[in-house]
Amino acid sequence: MTPPDHRATPDLGTGPRAAAAVHRVEFPVRTEEDLLEARHAVRAATQEMGFGLVDQTRVVTAASELVRNAYIHGGGGTLVVERLRRPKGSGLRLTVSDSGPGIPDVEAALTDGFSTGAGLGHGLGGARRLMHEFAIECPPGGGTTVSVTRWTAG
């Protein structure tokens, strides 16, 4: 079993995105055990931040789909969990990156039922629907980075 490679960074520096982050933790996504640990860490973060049970489930489900995609299709990667703060509430941003072959057709990959593997093809689009913000980057030459954010009600 690979030992955890968590790096906590309470201050991310400058810039509009970094200014909102108040805490950042990084998790490797290399093994089945890493997927489980990532889900547990995301669940714990949502509970500590005061998300309701339904929103906890939404965020954990999105995290599960994204880290599994990175593990299966990207050959492993990294999950970054960032706790965000803004004047009217707080949020949790999950950024999952891998160095795999990338996604040749992002729009198709976001369509329910589309899959290049054995899955049902609801993961990426489902993650987008479960979160308030969704961004995906697939640069030429490979790799995929998906960033999602869910905000608390307050």
Side-chain angles (χ1 to χ4, degrees), residues 11-122:
D11 181 4
L12 296 177
T14 60
R17 181 176 163 165
V22 294
H23 189 260
R24 178 181 191 271
V25 182
E26 185 174 317
F27 298 86
V29 179
R30 297 185 196 112
T31 66
E32 289 278 345
E33 291 81 14
D34 291 341
L35 303 180
L36 183 61
E37 186 170 348
R39 284 193 294 266
H40 287 300
V42 169
R43 168 80 64 198
T46 60
Q47 291 171 337
E48 292 168 10
M49 294 179 66
F51 281 89
L53 183 58
V54 172
D55 280 343
Q56 289 176 31
T57 302
R58 288 178 174 134
V59 175
V60 172
T61 300
S64 181
E65 295 292 345
L66 297 176
V67 296
R68 182 158 293 284
N69 280 349
Y71 176 67
I72 292 174
H73 301 291
T78 303
L79 164 67
V80 176
V81 179
E82 295 174 281
R83 296 177 191 205
L84 309 174
R85 186 165 293 146
R86 65 182 183 182
K88 294 185 176 181
S90 58
L92 193 65
R93 178 186 298 136
L94 311 173
T95 302
V96 180
S97 300
D98 68 60
S99 300
I103 302 173
D105 187 343
V106 172
E107 287 305 314
L110 289 167
T111 303
D112 282 343
F114 178 87
S115 178
T116 57
L120 298 175
H122 298 289

